[in-house]
Amino acid sequence: MKIPERILLAHGAGGRLSHELIEGVFLPAFSNPELESLDDAAILPELPPGRLAMTTDGHVVDPPTYPGGDLGSLSVNGTVNDLVMVGADPLYLSWALILEEGLEGEKLRQHVESARRAAEEAGVTIVAGDTKTVPRGRGDGIYAVSAGIGVVPEGRRVSDRRIEAGDAILLTGTAADHGATIMALRHGLEGPGLHSDCAPLNHLIGELWKGGIDIHAMHDPTRGGIATTCNEAASRSSLRFLLSAQAIPIAPGVYAVCEILGLDELYLASEGRALIFLPGNQSEAALEILHAHPQGRDAASIGVVLPAEAGHAPVELETLSGSLRPLDMLSGMDLPRIC
Amino acid sequence: MKIPERILLAHGAGGRLSHELIEGVFLPAFSNPELESLDDAAILPELPPGRLAMTTDGHVVDPPTYPGGDLGSLSVNGTVNDLVMVGADPLYLSWALILEEGLEGEKLRQHVESARRAAEEAGVTIVAGDTKTVPRGRGDGIYAVSAGIGVVPEGRRVSDRRIEAGDAILLTGTAADHGATIMALRHGLEGPGLHSDCAPLNHLIGELWKGGIDIHAMHDPTRGGIATTCNEAASRSSLRFLLSAQAIPIAPGVYAVCEILGLDELYLASEGRALIFLPGNQSEAALEILHAHPQGRDAASIGVVLPAEAGHAPVELETLSGSLRPLDMLSGMDLPRIC
């Protein structure tokens, strides 16, 4: 079955061309018995014991292909990581595409292949899919929406309500690589060493669970970056987070792009990092585990949780000069279509 | 919290405006503990026993609002019905939106309210959501992608592989109402009595399960209509389906629109009907149950399943004059963005 040269509106009409697309592009990539039944819904094998978790994520990243990833892998990893952030082991994903008329079939195939590889790497199965088409000028090549389910095994309880004063705040790698890569590309600033951190977090975080670390809360700092993510968690836990500028690992290329474009690394998205809140006395053990894993080599303790205090913002950054700078949520329209 | 006058790109950037949208528009509609946790993924209550089913559906219908429904209700019912078609009781949905810059906040609120009402009617809970924004000219107001999970209780086994010669083919209501309504609207042919059949099918089909009907297979004839859906099922079961033109219920308004626009009712989408394959000797009992339900008043037995036979197409229609017309799958680009 061949790959179409360009996507036509009829590829989304549910008729013969839709079937050719399924058989020529999707089934060869996502071969599994649940999907291959081509029924209206997939019937899943028995799940491991635990509480079920569910999430969804849309992706409209512009440009859709960039150093370190593309929309295909991003849309798989984004949903995998959202599940991991609540303590779940991700298991099954659905994947829906909205294709613009005229999209090259070969580009579609590349995103599908990236999604396939990302699913394989994360150990999840894509069991359901859907494709719609829109006319030229009503889309932008390819948009993807994934949804996923996973299981939280007995004994894991991850929630902002568990964050407490004395907790350490770890970041599993350098900050802002994904956001800086996208912004650099939009401004024609490609350079060696600059690439998205997009990756599945289940294997890395799984090592912490295996090591007996009592993770209180976790978030992947995607849209809005570390600053926004910390503000959300601080407001839900009614505590104060103090971050250290010196401690936050930033790749040299990311630092350079932010200098040139006037961007703040703390507001740029990561797509393969986790912020982890855990008891301060487990911080060292956790870092040791993270450093032993290829994805956690640059992990660092970047802050501490304190009791809320009048006169202090919920999230503050201790700058290199030692002064305290309040970190608010992302405001305004700086960074659309970053993911 | 107020509803924005128009959607800005920043409403999808993950910062302050994203939060205002969540708190002003989404949370008031979809109030439930799983969603309100606002965690990266929702943790679900314990599921009833049975096999888990999962599906996804994207919706890009043009126009997005039409007599009998809108994109909001369509995207809930579409996923609910896909779950029902494999024998599942639908339980939880995710809902992701792709909004075009400039969309009126009030229009968004209307779609959200429709989705809320549809979920309530179907008895499902929307536990996860996501919103992305794209610039003007890169979308068309609103696109929505829903995913859903449900549970197939012990004892239900619905699959095209169970279809056998001697089965009756029932249609739970009139054909093609949704597709004809959309096409009429696009051609300025509004008229009384023409409206989408969009509805959740779980309550109606639930009556058949309660009545002990042994449903072999089920499909909702959406994109591609009855003809395409029957072709898919016939090819998977390697049998021959013979439909009766006289028996297929068509609303007078739908018939008129199809005459005027030169469309074939058998290729137009329904969004609240099911094609049911069941043992011929249960056909009458099933029709009695369906007729007693408000959604099944016009249900009819529209065909029979026969052994495959050389010289006959897999799906044939006995016309009003008694001749046999082969019904192929939908080909070409007749009907884009019908759902």
Side-chain angles (χ1 to χ4, degrees):
Chain A
M1 198 61 76
K2 79 186 217 310
I3 294 160
E5 194 181 335
R6 293 205 175 263
I7 293 299
L8 308 174
L9 282 175
H11 282 112
R16 188 167 303 284
L17 283 177
S18 298
H19 280 259
E20 286 183 14
L21 200 60
I22 290 170
E23 282 162 29
V25 178
F26 296 113
L27 286 186
F30 306 124
S31 152
N32 64 72
E34 291 75 27
L35 190 73
E36 279 165 13
S37 83
L38 290 180
D39 276 326
D40 300 273
I43 307 275
L44 307 180
E46 197 177 346
L47 267 54
R51 289 168 302 155
L52 197 67
M54 183 175 189
T55 192
T56 189
D57 229 342
H59 288 98
V60 298
V61 61
D62 172 34
T65 303
Y66 41 83
D70 63 15
L71 191 138
S73 53
L74 181 64
S75 64
V76 168
N77 288 330
T79 284
V80 162
N81 291 346
D82 280 346
L83 292 168
V84 174
M85 293 302 103
V86 300
D89 295 331
L91 295 170
Y92 296 104
L93 261 56
S94 65
W95 203 48
L97 301 179
I98 296 174
L99 306 179
E100 186 190 13
E101 180 187 20
L103 174 71
E104 287 169 39
E106 174 54 23
K107 284 218 174 125
L108 171 63
R109 197 200 56 77
Q110 286 168 17
H111 288 291
V112 168
E113 172 59 17
S114 290
R116 184 199 67 73
R117 256 187 285 119
E120 187 176 83
E121 189 184 342
V124 298
T125 310
I126 296 178
V127 292
D130 187 52
T131 304
K132 293 290 191 296
T133 50
V134 293
R136 277 174 209 274
R138 299 293 183 192
D140 197 6
I142 177 168
Y143 299 147
V145 174
S146 48
I149 59 172
V151 166
V152 184
E154 200 57 50
R156 294 186 195 168
R157 206 160 63 77
V158 179
S159 160
D160 287 343
R161 285 180 295 276
R162 290 196 67 211
I163 300 175
E164 52 190 52
D167 276 6
I169 306 174
L170 308 190
L171 180 64
T172 61
T174 50
D177 299 74
H178 177 79
T181 302
I182 300 292
M183 294 309 288
L185 207 53
R186 282 196 207 155
H187 290 85
L189 288 177
E190 285 167 83
L194 195 64
H195 58 87
S196 171
D197 56 291
C198 186
L201 284 164
N202 49 335
H203 304 306
L204 179 67
I205 302 301
E207 295 298 318
L208 294 177
W209 291 122
K210 270 188 238 162
I213 302 296
D214 180 24
I215 298 171
H216 285 167
M218 260 189 295
H219 294 286
D220 52 341
T222 56
R223 283 184 291 182
I226 292 173
T228 303
T229 306
C230 280
N231 265 281
E232 291 165 352
S235 91
R236 273 180 237 151
S237 63
S238 306
L239 291 161
R240 177 182 162 219
F241 298 171
L242 180 60
L243 305 182
S244 157
Q246 182 148 29
I248 297 172
I250 312 268
V254 170
Y255 182 81
V257 163
C258 288
E259 282 294 301
I260 294 169
L261 298 179
L263 296 167
D264 186 334
E265 300 90 346
L266 301 182
Y267 291 89
L268 287 181
S270 300
E271 291 289 345
R273 310 292 187 216
L275 278 168
I276 302 174
F277 299 81
L278 79 182
N281 63 13
Q282 295 195 1
S283 171
E284 249 179 77
L287 282 173
E288 202 171 306
I289 293 169
L290 291 171
H291 289 156
H293 190 280
Q295 278 178 260
R297 275 197 321 259
D298 299 317
S301 176
I302 66 162
V304 291
V305 178
L306 302 169
E309 198 178 330
H312 285 278
V315 182
E316 289 180 322
L317 181 75
E318 188 178 358
T319 64
L320 296 180
S321 63
S323 63
L324 292 185
R325 171 187 152 207
L327 285 183
D328 202 357
M329 261 190 193
L330 176 70
S331 281
M333 59 161 298
D334 311 314
L335 302 164
R337 300 186 65 189
I338 209 80
C339 62
Chain B
M1 200 59 77
K2 77 186 219 309
I3 294 159
E5 196 181 332
R6 293 204 176 264
I7 293 299
L8 308 174
L9 282 176
H11 281 112
R16 190 166 300 283
L17 283 177
S18 297
H19 281 259
E20 286 183 16
L21 201 61
I22 290 170
E23 281 162 28
V25 177
F26 296 113
L27 286 185
F30 306 123
S31 153
N32 64 72
E34 291 76 27
L35 190 72
E36 279 165 14
S37 81
L38 290 180
D39 277 326
D40 299 274
I43 306 274
L44 307 181
E46 196 176 346
L47 267 54
R51 288 169 301 155
L52 198 66
M54 183 174 190
T55 192
T56 189
D57 229 342
H59 289 97
V60 297
V61 60
D62 173 35
T65 303
Y66 42 82
D70 63 15
L71 190 139
S73 52
L74 180 64
S75 65
V76 168
N77 288 330
T79 285
V80 163
N81 291 346
D82 280 346
L83 292 168
V84 174
M85 292 304 102
V86 298
D89 294 330
L91 295 169
Y92 297 103
L93 262 56
S94 64
W95 203 48
L97 301 180
I98 296 174
L99 306 179
E100 186 189 13
E101 180 186 21
L103 174 71
E104 288 171 38
E106 174 55 22
K107 283 217 176 127
L108 171 62
R109 197 200 56 77
Q110 286 168 17
H111 287 293
V112 169
E113 172 58 18
S114 289
R116 184 200 66 74
R117 257 187 286 118
E120 188 176 83
E121 190 185 340
V124 298
T125 310
I126 295 177
V127 293
D130 186 52
T131 304
K132 293 291 192 295
T133 51
V134 292
R136 277 174 208 274
R138 300 292 183 193
D140 196 5
I142 177 169
Y143 299 147
V145 175
S146 49
I149 58 172
V151 166
V152 184
E154 199 57 51
R156 294 186 194 167
R157 205 161 61 81
V158 179
S159 160
D160 287 344
R161 285 180 293 276
R162 289 197 67 211
I163 301 176
E164 51 190 54
D167 276 4
I169 306 173
L170 308 190
L171 180 65
T172 62
T174 50
D177 300 74
H178 177 80
T181 301
I182 299 293
M183 293 309 287
L185 206 54
R186 283 196 206 154
H187 289 85
L189 288 178
E190 284 167 84
L194 196 63
H195 57 87
S196 170
D197 55 291
C198 186
L201 284 164
N202 49 336
H203 304 307
L204 179 67
I205 302 301
E207 294 299 318
L208 294 177
W209 291 122
K210 271 188 238 161
I213 301 297
D214 180 24
I215 299 171
H216 284 168
M218 261 189 293
H219 295 285
D220 52 342
T222 56
R223 283 184 290 182
I226 292 174
T228 303
T229 306
C230 279
N231 266 281
E232 291 164 354
S235 90
R236 274 180 237 149
S237 62
S238 305
L239 291 161
R240 177 182 163 219
F241 299 171
L242 180 60
L243 306 182
S244 156
Q246 181 149 29
I248 298 172
I250 313 269
V254 170
Y255 182 81
V257 163
C258 288
E259 282 292 302
I260 294 168
L261 297 180
L263 296 168
D264 186 334
E265 300 90 347
L266 300 183
Y267 289 90
L268 287 180
S270 301
E271 290 289 344
R273 309 292 187 217
L275 278 168
I276 303 173
F277 299 81
L278 79 183
N281 62 14
Q282 294 195 359
S283 171
E284 249 178 78
L287 282 173
E288 202 171 307
I289 293 170
L290 291 169
H291 290 155
H293 190 282
Q295 277 178 262
R297 275 195 322 258
D298 299 318
S301 176
I302 67 162
V304 292
V305 178
L306 303 169
E309 198 179 328
H312 286 277
V315 183
E316 289 180 322
L317 181 74
E318 187 178 358
T319 64
L320 297 180
S321 63
S323 62
L324 292 186
R325 172 188 149 203
L327 285 183
D328 202 357
M329 260 189 194
L330 177 69
S331 283
M333 59 162 299
D334 312 313
L335 301 163
R337 297 186 67 188
I338 209 79
C339 63

